[in-house]
Amino acid sequence: MVSSEEDGGAAEEKETNNRRRNRGAVATAWLTFYNIAMTAGWLVLAITMMRFYLQKGTNRGLYRSIARTLKFFQTAALVEVGHCAIGIVRTSVIVTGVQVCSRIFMVWFVTNSIRQVQSEESVVLFLVVWTVTEISRYSYYTFNLLHHLPYFIKWARYNFFIILYPLGVVGELMTIYAALPVVRRTAMYSLRLPNKYNVSFDYYYFLIIAMLSYIPLFPQLYFHMLRQRRKVLHGEVIVEKDD
Amino acid sequence: VEPYSTIADIKSLVHKSSAKALRDGDVLQNLPVGTSATMYFRDLGPQLGWTMVFLAEYMGPLFTYLMFYLRLPYIYPHPHAFTSSPLTVVTLACACHTCHYVKRLVETIFVHRFSHGTMPLRTILRNCVYYWGFSAWLAYYINHPLYSPPSYGDLQVNYAFALFVLCEVGNFSIHLTLNSLRGEGTKCRKIPSPTKNPFTWLFFFVSCPNYTYEVGAWLGFSIMTQCLPVAVYTVLGFIQMSIWARGKHRAYTREFKAYPGLRMAIIPLVL
């Protein structure tokens, strides 16, 4: 799923300053380094993909050429869950956890393990979406931490998602859908009865449930980002509905 | 409203009440406000009383498990409809599960005394999905025609069953003890303490022995059925109950100055 992100990152300027005061110098330095590194990593990914496509003119083998870089930088995002847990980033651990887990799921359990989907166009689609989103997101955080946020980065972060989110979802869903016949045929990651632990798992149905879960989850994330956008870009005061 | 009206009177004037900050018994005249006071009301949305909440949450597992035990049609492959398993452990598991939820229903109706009135509808829906869903998942495997009995046979089943029964009795004893602590209408708070009942002696070691016994009962059930979904359910329940126990433990230590130092929250000497 395209990463949505936090109430913290979308915070008003003065709240940002408050957090800065509470967060230590070491934490700020680490976060700055982390965000710069991630921006750089996703830039490298973007450039590698572009070069490959310009040289070869096809998307066959595109995934293989960036697979290791993608796996490294996407898995590194697990660290962000830690940031929320220890409090140096003001976001819910669960929200970040869900985001990162869904990305890791796509990378490791769909495209990495199911070779046959790697040449699908939908893979290129969501890779492009992720790349653009992550570059704008991480550069936003970097400039924010350095207190020099150019307006166009803020604009990018809070406007690109309007198109990129749905596109990313389409790419991911199409990829999982393409994987279904392969999974069914090979009974991959599945456990049948009878067995000692009296449990069974069918990866095929798990993937179908994963696809269906986009229906409730995607609108929530999308409208959350839309609300954040109105708050940050237009200074609207949004009255949140408390539960 | 008149100065001598109570908060409860005002609440009845407004359909949806909030009043987390003010209590029903507060008299308007005694509140620290001037001649005109502004009161903020918060609409908490649709709510349900605690008794109804628990009835809804526990009826589900009770009946879904029985549906699987009786092997109603369309759950398992066709020839197995309405058959029963030859294994004793399957019938025993059904009895245990059913008794567990019957006990919970009895406690909800006759034993527990609930403080805050209600729970929001969203939370109830989420809880029901959790309880009903999990009981369906574990009932599916235990009552499946291809269910494999425990690796160590009757020995494993009998010892685990004994653990289950002991923990259920323990849990019930603790609920009775906690119930007797809270006298009718009295506002005084007493430290929960061990009584003559040996099962309550766990109070020497933990603040929330009811949770300890609950985890123990489910542990017994897991071992008895040797079913991974049951173990998953036990672990999740343990995590949730530990969070609650630690919260309670912290509240107790803050409220009572002479709180026993040896006591932990849920696991003796450990957590």
PDB file of all heavy atoms in Angstrom, chain A residues 57-85:
ATOM      1  N   GLY A  57      14.428  -0.714 -22.990  1.00  0.00           N
ATOM      2  CA  GLY A  57      13.137  -0.467 -23.614  1.00  0.00           C
ATOM      3  C   GLY A  57      12.046  -1.447 -23.230  1.00  0.00           C
ATOM      4  O   GLY A  57      10.974  -1.454 -23.813  1.00  0.00           O
ATOM      5  N   THR A  58      12.294  -2.282 -22.240  1.00  0.00           N
ATOM      6  CA  THR A  58      11.282  -3.254 -21.828  1.00  0.00           C
ATOM      7  C   THR A  58      11.285  -3.357 -20.312  1.00  0.00           C
ATOM      8  O   THR A  58      12.242  -2.961 -19.660  1.00  0.00           O
ATOM      9  CB  THR A  58      11.564  -4.632 -22.449  1.00  0.00           C
ATOM     10  OG1 THR A  58      10.698  -5.591 -21.828  1.00  0.00           O
ATOM     11  CG2 THR A  58      12.986  -5.068 -22.171  1.00  0.00           C
ATOM     12  N   ASN A  59      10.194  -3.914 -19.762  1.00  0.00           N
ATOM     13  CA  ASN A  59      10.205  -4.080 -18.309  1.00  0.00           C
ATOM     14  C   ASN A  59      10.593  -5.495 -17.894  1.00  0.00           C
ATOM     15  O   ASN A  59      10.588  -5.828 -16.729  1.00  0.00           O
ATOM     16  CB  ASN A  59       8.845  -3.706 -17.700  1.00  0.00           C
ATOM     17  CG  ASN A  59       7.741  -4.583 -18.248  1.00  0.00           C
ATOM     18  OD1 ASN A  59       7.561  -4.665 -19.468  1.00  0.00           O
ATOM     19  ND2 ASN A  59       7.019  -5.252 -17.388  1.00  0.00           N
ATOM     20  N   ARG A  60      10.980  -6.325 -18.876  1.00  0.00           N
ATOM     21  CA  ARG A  60      11.450  -7.662 -18.497  1.00  0.00           C
ATOM     22  C   ARG A  60      12.821  -7.545 -17.853  1.00  0.00           C
ATOM     23  O   ARG A  60      13.712  -6.954 -18.425  1.00  0.00           O
ATOM     24  CB  ARG A  60      11.569  -8.537 -19.752  1.00  0.00           C
ATOM     25  CG  ARG A  60      10.245  -8.869 -20.388  1.00  0.00           C
ATOM     26  CD  ARG A  60      10.383 -10.161 -21.134  1.00  0.00           C
ATOM     27  NE  ARG A  60      10.578 -11.237 -20.170  1.00  0.00           N
ATOM     28  CZ  ARG A  60       9.920 -12.383 -20.182  1.00  0.00           C
ATOM     29  NH1 ARG A  60       9.042 -12.589 -21.130  1.00  0.00           N
ATOM     30  NH2 ARG A  60      10.156 -13.313 -19.298  1.00  0.00           N
ATOM     31  N   GLY A  61      12.954  -8.086 -16.689  1.00  0.00           N
ATOM     32  CA  GLY A  61      14.252  -8.023 -16.024  1.00  0.00           C
ATOM     33  C   GLY A  61      14.433  -6.739 -15.232  1.00  0.00           C
ATOM     34  O   GLY A  61      15.430  -6.573 -14.531  1.00  0.00           O
ATOM     35  N   LEU A  62      13.469  -5.808 -15.330  1.00  0.00           N
ATOM     36  CA  LEU A  62      13.576  -4.561 -14.560  1.00  0.00           C
ATOM     37  C   LEU A  62      13.582  -4.864 -13.073  1.00  0.00           C
ATOM     38  O   LEU A  62      14.388  -4.350 -12.309  1.00  0.00           O
ATOM     39  CB  LEU A  62      12.401  -3.633 -14.912  1.00  0.00           C
ATOM     40  CG  LEU A  62      12.386  -2.317 -14.148  1.00  0.00           C
ATOM     41  CD1 LEU A  62      13.144  -1.265 -14.919  1.00  0.00           C
ATOM     42  CD2 LEU A  62      10.984  -1.852 -13.874  1.00  0.00           C
ATOM     43  N   TYR A  63      12.658  -5.724 -12.667  1.00  0.00           N
ATOM     44  CA  TYR A  63      12.557  -6.030 -11.246  1.00  0.00           C
ATOM     45  C   TYR A  63      13.860  -6.632 -10.735  1.00  0.00           C
ATOM     46  O   TYR A  63      14.368  -6.267  -9.684  1.00  0.00           O
ATOM     47  CB  TYR A  63      11.391  -6.984 -10.971  1.00  0.00           C
ATOM     48  CG  TYR A  63      11.284  -7.310  -9.495  1.00  0.00           C
ATOM     49  CD1 TYR A  63      10.693  -6.414  -8.609  1.00  0.00           C
ATOM     50  CD2 TYR A  63      11.845  -8.484  -8.986  1.00  0.00           C
ATOM     51  CE1 TYR A  63      10.646  -6.679  -7.261  1.00  0.00           C
ATOM     52  CE2 TYR A  63      11.807  -8.749  -7.624  1.00  0.00           C
ATOM     53  CZ  TYR A  63      11.201  -7.844  -6.769  1.00  0.00           C
ATOM     54  OH  TYR A  63      11.169  -8.103  -5.432  1.00  0.00           O
ATOM     55  N   ARG A  64      14.404  -7.595 -11.495  1.00  0.00           N
ATOM     56  CA  ARG A  64      15.624  -8.263 -11.042  1.00  0.00           C
ATOM     57  C   ARG A  64      16.748  -7.267 -10.850  1.00  0.00           C
ATOM     58  O   ARG A  64      17.566  -7.406  -9.948  1.00  0.00           O
ATOM     59  CB  ARG A  64      16.055  -9.302 -12.095  1.00  0.00           C
ATOM     60  CG  ARG A  64      15.004 -10.350 -12.338  1.00  0.00           C
ATOM     61  CD  ARG A  64      15.476 -11.690 -11.952  1.00  0.00           C
ATOM     62  NE  ARG A  64      15.920 -11.680 -10.562  1.00  0.00           N
ATOM     63  CZ  ARG A  64      15.830 -12.689  -9.739  1.00  0.00           C
ATOM     64  NH1 ARG A  64      15.259 -13.779 -10.167  1.00  0.00           N
ATOM     65  NH2 ARG A  64      16.291 -12.625  -8.531  1.00  0.00           N
ATOM     66  N   SER A  65      16.784  -6.235 -11.717  1.00  0.00           N
ATOM     67  CA  SER A  65      17.910  -5.307 -11.628  1.00  0.00           C
ATOM     68  C   SER A  65      17.842  -4.456 -10.369  1.00  0.00           C
ATOM     69  O   SER A  65      18.864  -3.990  -9.874  1.00  0.00           O
ATOM     70  CB  SER A  65      17.935  -4.408 -12.868  1.00  0.00           C
ATOM     71  OG  SER A  65      16.842  -3.515 -12.837  1.00  0.00           O
ATOM     72  N   ILE A  66      16.632  -4.218  -9.836  1.00  0.00           N
ATOM     73  CA  ILE A  66      16.556  -3.368  -8.650  1.00  0.00           C
ATOM     74  C   ILE A  66      16.165  -4.147  -7.395  1.00  0.00           C
ATOM     75  O   ILE A  66      16.012  -3.569  -6.327  1.00  0.00           O
ATOM     76  CB  ILE A  66      15.545  -2.216  -8.842  1.00  0.00           C
ATOM     77  CG1 ILE A  66      14.213  -2.779  -9.367  1.00  0.00           C
ATOM     78  CG2 ILE A  66      16.073  -1.158  -9.778  1.00  0.00           C
ATOM     79  CD1 ILE A  66      13.083  -2.504  -8.461  1.00  0.00           C
ATOM     80  N   ALA A  67      16.005  -5.469  -7.542  1.00  0.00           N
ATOM     81  CA  ALA A  67      15.453  -6.266  -6.437  1.00  0.00           C
ATOM     82  C   ALA A  67      16.207  -6.066  -5.125  1.00  0.00           C
ATOM     83  O   ALA A  67      15.600  -5.836  -4.085  1.00  0.00           O
ATOM     84  CB  ALA A  67      15.427  -7.743  -6.813  1.00  0.00           C
ATOM     85  N   ARG A  68      17.520  -6.146  -5.173  1.00  0.00           N
ATOM     86  CA  ARG A  68      18.266  -6.088  -3.908  1.00  0.00           C
ATOM     87  C   ARG A  68      18.169  -4.717  -3.262  1.00  0.00           C
ATOM     88  O   ARG A  68      17.997  -4.596  -2.047  1.00  0.00           O
ATOM     89  CB  ARG A  68      19.727  -6.476  -4.147  1.00  0.00           C
ATOM     90  CG  ARG A  68      19.863  -7.983  -4.103  1.00  0.00           C
ATOM     91  CD  ARG A  68      21.252  -8.506  -4.315  1.00  0.00           C
ATOM     92  NE  ARG A  68      22.245  -7.835  -3.508  1.00  0.00           N
ATOM     93  CZ  ARG A  68      23.538  -7.822  -3.820  1.00  0.00           C
ATOM     94  NH1 ARG A  68      23.960  -8.417  -4.911  1.00  0.00           N
ATOM     95  NH2 ARG A  68      24.408  -7.188  -3.057  1.00  0.00           N
ATOM     96  N   THR A  69      18.275  -3.671  -4.092  1.00  0.00           N
ATOM     97  CA  THR A  69      18.179  -2.322  -3.548  1.00  0.00           C
ATOM     98  C   THR A  69      16.802  -2.098  -2.928  1.00  0.00           C
ATOM     99  O   THR A  69      16.682  -1.557  -1.834  1.00  0.00           O
ATOM    100  CB  THR A  69      18.395  -1.278  -4.660  1.00  0.00           C
ATOM    101  OG1 THR A  69      19.418  -1.743  -5.525  1.00  0.00           O
ATOM    102  CG2 THR A  69      18.762   0.069  -4.083  1.00  0.00           C
ATOM    103  N   LEU A  70      15.777  -2.550  -3.655  1.00  0.00           N
ATOM    104  CA  LEU A  70      14.414  -2.385  -3.163  1.00  0.00           C
ATOM    105  C   LEU A  70      14.229  -3.094  -1.833  1.00  0.00           C
ATOM    106  O   LEU A  70      13.703  -2.522  -0.876  1.00  0.00           O
ATOM    107  CB  LEU A  70      13.414  -2.938  -4.184  1.00  0.00           C
ATOM    108  CG  LEU A  70      11.955  -2.977  -3.733  1.00  0.00           C
ATOM    109  CD1 LEU A  70      11.399  -1.577  -3.613  1.00  0.00           C
ATOM    110  CD2 LEU A  70      11.112  -3.791  -4.696  1.00  0.00           C
ATOM    111  N   LYS A  71      14.675  -4.348  -1.777  1.00  0.00           N
ATOM    112  CA  LYS A  71      14.501  -5.113  -0.551  1.00  0.00           C
ATOM    113  C   LYS A  71      15.226  -4.442   0.606  1.00  0.00           C
ATOM    114  O   LYS A  71      14.687  -4.343   1.709  1.00  0.00           O
ATOM    115  CB  LYS A  71      15.013  -6.549  -0.736  1.00  0.00           C
ATOM    116  CG  LYS A  71      14.032  -7.429  -1.489  1.00  0.00           C
ATOM    117  CD  LYS A  71      14.430  -8.890  -1.475  1.00  0.00           C
ATOM    118  CE  LYS A  71      15.417  -9.227  -2.558  1.00  0.00           C
ATOM    119  NZ  LYS A  71      15.592 -10.688  -2.721  1.00  0.00           N
ATOM    120  N   PHE A  72      16.424  -3.932   0.337  1.00  0.00           N
ATOM    121  CA  PHE A  72      17.187  -3.305   1.404  1.00  0.00           C
ATOM    122  C   PHE A  72      16.470  -2.072   1.951  1.00  0.00           C
ATOM    123  O   PHE A  72      16.246  -1.944   3.153  1.00  0.00           O
ATOM    124  CB  PHE A  72      18.583  -2.915   0.898  1.00  0.00           C
ATOM    125  CG  PHE A  72      19.421  -2.234   1.944  1.00  0.00           C
ATOM    126  CD1 PHE A  72      20.054  -2.972   2.921  1.00  0.00           C
ATOM    127  CD2 PHE A  72      19.548  -0.846   1.959  1.00  0.00           C
ATOM    128  CE1 PHE A  72      20.811  -2.349   3.906  1.00  0.00           C
ATOM    129  CE2 PHE A  72      20.300  -0.213   2.928  1.00  0.00           C
ATOM    130  CZ  PHE A  72      20.936  -0.960   3.905  1.00  0.00           C
ATOM    131  N   PHE A  73      16.105  -1.163   1.050  1.00  0.00           N
ATOM    132  CA  PHE A  73      15.545   0.098   1.539  1.00  0.00           C
ATOM    133  C   PHE A  73      14.128  -0.041   2.056  1.00  0.00           C
ATOM    134  O   PHE A  73      13.733   0.655   2.982  1.00  0.00           O
ATOM    135  CB  PHE A  73      15.638   1.181   0.456  1.00  0.00           C
ATOM    136  CG  PHE A  73      17.023   1.734   0.338  1.00  0.00           C
ATOM    137  CD1 PHE A  73      17.872   1.308  -0.671  1.00  0.00           C
ATOM    138  CD2 PHE A  73      17.506   2.638   1.277  1.00  0.00           C
ATOM    139  CE1 PHE A  73      19.172   1.790  -0.752  1.00  0.00           C
ATOM    140  CE2 PHE A  73      18.804   3.128   1.201  1.00  0.00           C
ATOM    141  CZ  PHE A  73      19.635   2.700   0.188  1.00  0.00           C
ATOM    142  N   GLN A  74      13.348  -0.952   1.479  1.00  0.00           N
ATOM    143  CA  GLN A  74      11.998  -1.113   1.996  1.00  0.00           C
ATOM    144  C   GLN A  74      12.013  -1.795   3.351  1.00  0.00           C
ATOM    145  O   GLN A  74      11.253  -1.430   4.227  1.00  0.00           O
ATOM    146  CB  GLN A  74      11.138  -1.900   0.996  1.00  0.00           C
ATOM    147  CG  GLN A  74       9.671  -1.931   1.367  1.00  0.00           C
ATOM    148  CD  GLN A  74       9.070  -0.539   1.470  1.00  0.00           C
ATOM    149  OE1 GLN A  74       8.709   0.087   0.487  1.00  0.00           O
ATOM    150  NE2 GLN A  74       8.953  -0.043   2.700  1.00  0.00           N
ATOM    151  N   THR A  75      12.909  -2.783   3.520  1.00  0.00           N
ATOM    152  CA  THR A  75      12.988  -3.455   4.812  1.00  0.00           C
ATOM    153  C   THR A  75      13.529  -2.513   5.880  1.00  0.00           C
ATOM    154  O   THR A  75      13.117  -2.569   7.044  1.00  0.00           O
ATOM    155  CB  THR A  75      13.886  -4.701   4.708  1.00  0.00           C
ATOM    156  OG1 THR A  75      13.528  -5.436   3.547  1.00  0.00           O
ATOM    157  CG2 THR A  75      13.740  -5.592   5.922  1.00  0.00           C
ATOM    158  N   ALA A  76      14.439  -1.622   5.480  1.00  0.00           N
ATOM    159  CA  ALA A  76      14.986  -0.660   6.437  1.00  0.00           C
ATOM    160  C   ALA A  76      13.884   0.191   7.060  1.00  0.00           C
ATOM    161  O   ALA A  76      14.051   0.716   8.159  1.00  0.00           O
ATOM    162  CB  ALA A  76      16.013   0.230   5.749  1.00  0.00           C
ATOM    163  N   ALA A  77      12.756   0.328   6.365  1.00  0.00           N
ATOM    164  CA  ALA A  77      11.656   1.133   6.894  1.00  0.00           C
ATOM    165  C   ALA A  77      11.097   0.580   8.202  1.00  0.00           C
ATOM    166  O   ALA A  77      10.381   1.281   8.912  1.00  0.00           O
ATOM    167  CB  ALA A  77      10.545   1.238   5.858  1.00  0.00           C
ATOM    168  N   LEU A  78      11.430  -0.665   8.527  1.00  0.00           N
ATOM    169  CA  LEU A  78      11.010  -1.238   9.809  1.00  0.00           C
ATOM    170  C   LEU A  78      11.490  -0.379  10.968  1.00  0.00           C
ATOM    171  O   LEU A  78      10.841  -0.283  12.014  1.00  0.00           O
ATOM    172  CB  LEU A  78      11.575  -2.654   9.967  1.00  0.00           C
ATOM    173  CG  LEU A  78      10.783  -3.779   9.310  1.00  0.00           C
ATOM    174  CD1 LEU A  78      11.574  -5.066   9.365  1.00  0.00           C
ATOM    175  CD2 LEU A  78       9.440  -3.959   9.993  1.00  0.00           C
ATOM    176  N   VAL A  79      12.628   0.269  10.732  1.00  0.00           N
ATOM    177  CA  VAL A  79      13.204   1.133  11.762  1.00  0.00           C
ATOM    178  C   VAL A  79      12.219   2.217  12.192  1.00  0.00           C
ATOM    179  O   VAL A  79      12.206   2.639  13.354  1.00  0.00           O
ATOM    180  CB  VAL A  79      14.522   1.731  11.203  1.00  0.00           C
ATOM    181  CG1 VAL A  79      14.939   2.948  11.955  1.00  0.00           C
ATOM    182  CG2 VAL A  79      15.612   0.701  11.261  1.00  0.00           C
ATOM    183  N   GLU A  80      11.367   2.619  11.252  1.00  0.00           N
ATOM    184  CA  GLU A  80      10.423   3.700  11.564  1.00  0.00           C
ATOM    185  C   GLU A  80       9.430   3.285  12.635  1.00  0.00           C
ATOM    186  O   GLU A  80       8.951   4.118  13.398  1.00  0.00           O
ATOM    187  CB  GLU A  80       9.682   4.116  10.293  1.00  0.00           C
ATOM    188  CG  GLU A  80      10.582   4.841   9.321  1.00  0.00           C
ATOM    189  CD  GLU A  80       9.914   5.110   7.988  1.00  0.00           C
ATOM    190  OE1 GLU A  80       8.748   5.554   7.993  1.00  0.00           O
ATOM    191  OE2 GLU A  80      10.559   4.852   6.954  1.00  0.00           O
ATOM    192  N   VAL A  81       9.121   1.990  12.662  1.00  0.00           N
ATOM    193  CA  VAL A  81       8.242   1.502  13.722  1.00  0.00           C
ATOM    194  C   VAL A  81       8.936   1.705  15.072  1.00  0.00           C
ATOM    195  O   VAL A  81       8.313   2.122  16.054  1.00  0.00           O
ATOM    196  CB  VAL A  81       7.909   0.008  13.504  1.00  0.00           C
ATOM    197  CG1 VAL A  81       6.958  -0.479  14.560  1.00  0.00           C
ATOM    198  CG2 VAL A  81       7.312  -0.202  12.129  1.00  0.00           C
ATOM    199  N   GLY A  82      10.231   1.448  15.090  1.00  0.00           N
ATOM    200  CA  GLY A  82      11.010   1.671  16.305  1.00  0.00           C
ATOM    201  C   GLY A  82      10.995   3.135  16.717  1.00  0.00           C
ATOM    202  O   GLY A  82      10.874   3.460  17.894  1.00  0.00           O
ATOM    203  N   HIS A  83      11.114   4.016  15.734  1.00  0.00           N
ATOM    204  CA  HIS A  83      11.093   5.456  16.034  1.00  0.00           C
ATOM    205  C   HIS A  83       9.818   5.831  16.767  1.00  0.00           C
ATOM    206  O   HIS A  83       9.832   6.609  17.719  1.00  0.00           O
ATOM    207  CB  HIS A  83      11.161   6.280  14.744  1.00  0.00           C
ATOM    208  CG  HIS A  83      12.469   6.191  14.032  1.00  0.00           C
ATOM    209  ND1 HIS A  83      12.630   6.578  12.727  1.00  0.00           N
ATOM    210  CD2 HIS A  83      13.680   5.767  14.435  1.00  0.00           C
ATOM    211  CE1 HIS A  83      13.882   6.394  12.361  1.00  0.00           C
ATOM    212  NE2 HIS A  83      14.547   5.903  13.383  1.00  0.00           N
ATOM    213  N   CYS A  84       8.690   5.298  16.277  1.00  0.00           N
ATOM    214  CA  CYS A  84       7.409   5.621  16.915  1.00  0.00           C
ATOM    215  C   CYS A  84       7.344   5.009  18.310  1.00  0.00           C
ATOM    216  O   CYS A  84       6.836   5.626  19.238  1.00  0.00           O
ATOM    217  CB  CYS A  84       6.244   5.088  16.089  1.00  0.00           C
ATOM    218  SG  CYS A  84       6.184   5.768  14.452  1.00  0.00           S
ATOM    219  N   ALA A  85       7.875   3.779  18.424  1.00  0.00           N
ATOM    220  CA  ALA A  85       7.787   3.080  19.701  1.00  0.00           C
ATOM    221  C   ALA A  85       8.571   3.798  20.787  1.00  0.00           C
ATOM    222  O   ALA A  85       8.122   3.878  21.932  1.00  0.00           O
ATOM    223  CB  ALA A  85       8.289   1.640  19.552  1.00  0.00           C
TER     224      ALA A  85
END
